[in-house]
Amino acid sequence: MIVNNLEPAEPQPVSSSVLVDGTGTIEADMLQIDFIKPSFDRRPNSEDPPKELLFLVVNRFLARLRTLTRAAQIQPLRPEHTFWRVDYIEDDGSPLARDERNIRRRANSTGEGRIVPVTTGLWLALASVPADFEPSLWDSLLLDAFGQLPNVGPAIVLANTALEIRIATALDALVQTVNIPPALWQWINDRGDYRKEPSVSEQFDSLLAAFTGKSLKEESVLWGEFQKLRQARNSFAHDGRALIGKSRREEVTPEIATKLLQQAHAIIDWIDALLPAEMQRPKLGTIPRSIESFIPFDVPEDSP
């Protein structure tokens, strides 16, 4: 099991290929923190110290490290997405003697894998996409939003931007199919004051209905999720926290954000269905998602 391999390498391998201040470096991927107190409750059903405390200490350390190093790639860790282990040892660092009533190790591991299955159908579909194909900006932004998870704020902002660009480009394409003078369409969308121009909600509602007879507001589920996504984006942009709800505000978790992004993708698919085939993006008809495999397990109580 992976958690059983969470041990410092001996000896520590020093690389001469990457130097810092002229000195060789050690590539590290494990953080060890010592918790010390007179005694710990080691009964099988106990949690001493609690994992909430473990990750509070770890994440406060990482926050300081991130601030000082300016390393944006350092992110808070979550118990359900991190390999971690607690070993109970003697004061001198030696293993505890076996005890039938108490455990010597507590661990939990969740493996998170993001995979892309390439089937025969997908391989054949790739051949149907022109060699000079360039992904649209809105589609790239939406995929980037999924890639940002579990970072809620950036994911929400990117997904909203993708929707804003998609509805604008869709309307620009649809206006070509109706008898509206280009100057009038330009005036509708650019009046020198954003407060006089159609809002994103109006684009998805009134303007889209004028061109296609369909409004996103008629799709109650998609419209509701669209409003949640907009609300989360606005609260994050203005307050630094992605919140949804009216009377009772709820913070958007990575799980909620994932569902909102999936609904954003469904909205874009819905828009695509209103457009001529040549204006639609290449697709297989499925909503992309991170295929995450969580494999929780308990280490036997008599593990060394």
Side-chain angles (χ1 to χ4, degrees):
M1 291 184 290
I2 293 177
V3 289
N4 289 336
N5 295 325
L6 295 179
E7 299 285 350
E10 294 294 347
Q12 295 286 329
V14 179
S15 171
S16 58
S17 300
V18 180
L19 304 179
V20 175
D21 294 334
T23 303
T25 56
I26 297 173
E27 183 178 353
D29 58 1
M30 187 183 80
L31 181 63
Q32 176 178 317
I33 296 179
D34 295 334
F35 289 81
I36 301 172
K37 73 176 191 177
S39 64
F40 290 90
D41 185 350
R42 296 192 291 115
R43 289 174 297 178
N45 295 326
S46 69
E47 199 176 79
D48 184 19
K51 63 175 176 290
E52 291 78 14
L53 175 61
L54 302 179
F55 280 83
L56 175 65
V57 173
V58 168
N59 286 327
R60 284 183 174 176
F61 168 79
L62 292 177
R64 298 195 299 273
L65 181 64
R66 188 175 194 255
T67 299
L68 293 179
T69 61
R70 314 308 299 163
Q73 66 268 31
I74 298 176
Q75 298 291 336
L77 300 178
R78 295 192 294 157
E80 63 271 22
H81 287 174
T82 306
F83 296 109
W84 59 274
R85 193 180 83 198
V86 175
D87 288 335
Y88 298 98
I89 57 177
E90 299 285 2
D91 291 344
D92 61 3
S94 61
L96 290 170
R98 290 185 177 274
D99 183 341
E100 294 182 358
R101 293 180 301 174
N102 297 306
I103 61 175
R104 297 187 296 169
R105 172 176 295 174
R106 182 161 55 89
N108 199 328
S109 174
T110 51
E112 180 185 45
R114 299 189 176 191
I115 62 175
V116 178
V118 179
T119 63
T120 301
L122 174 58
W123 192 256
L124 294 175
L126 286 171
S128 68
V129 180
D132 60 351
F133 167 76
E134 292 289 341
S136 59
L137 178 58
W138 54 265
D139 201 28
S140 295
L141 289 173
L142 184 58
L143 292 174
D144 288 342
F146 279 95
Q148 280 291 327
L149 293 171
N151 298 318
V152 169
I156 292 294
V157 170
L158 286 170
N160 269 277
T161 304
L163 287 179
E164 291 176 7
I165 296 175
R166 184 50 179 143
I167 189 59
T169 57
L171 292 174
D172 283 341
L174 288 168
V175 77
Q176 306 299 322
T177 66
V178 297
N179 189 25
I180 293 181
L184 175 58
W185 183 241
Q186 174 69 23
W187 178 81
I188 290 173
N189 290 282
D190 185 6
R191 302 177 65 181
D193 185 344
Y194 74 93
R195 293 170 296 181
K196 298 179 181 180
E197 298 163 3
S199 67
V200 177
S201 294
E202 289 171 335
Q203 288 176 314
F204 275 100
D205 182 17
S206 304
L207 285 178
L208 191 59
F211 294 149
T212 67
K214 298 287 186 180
S215 164
L216 185 64
K217 189 178 285 188
E218 297 170 352
E219 306 292 328
S220 58
V221 174
L222 292 181
W223 182 259
E225 296 304 299
F226 167 70
Q227 295 299 326
K228 288 180 183 177
L229 192 64
R230 300 290 296 171
Q231 185 181 28
R233 178 265 176 197
N234 291 338
S235 68
F236 180 77
H238 297 294
D239 303 323
R241 296 173 62 200
L243 304 172
I244 56 175
K246 295 182 179 178
S247 57
R248 183 178 179 182
R249 305 278 275 174
E250 177 185 9
E251 185 151 12
V252 177
T253 63
E255 292 73 24
I256 293 176
T258 299
K259 293 178 181 178
L260 289 175
L261 265 58
Q262 289 171 348
Q263 291 300 315
H265 198 283
I267 290 170
I268 284 179
D269 279 347
W270 179 82
I271 294 174
D272 256 13
L274 302 176
L275 300 173
E278 63 273 14
M279 297 180 183
Q280 300 178 15
R281 65 173 176 81
K283 56 181 177 293
L284 292 173
T286 58
I287 297 177
R289 59 189 176 89
S290 298
I291 304 176
E292 300 176 349
S293 300
F294 299 104
I295 312 174
F297 58 85
D298 296 321
V299 176
E301 296 175 9
D302 60 351
S303 296

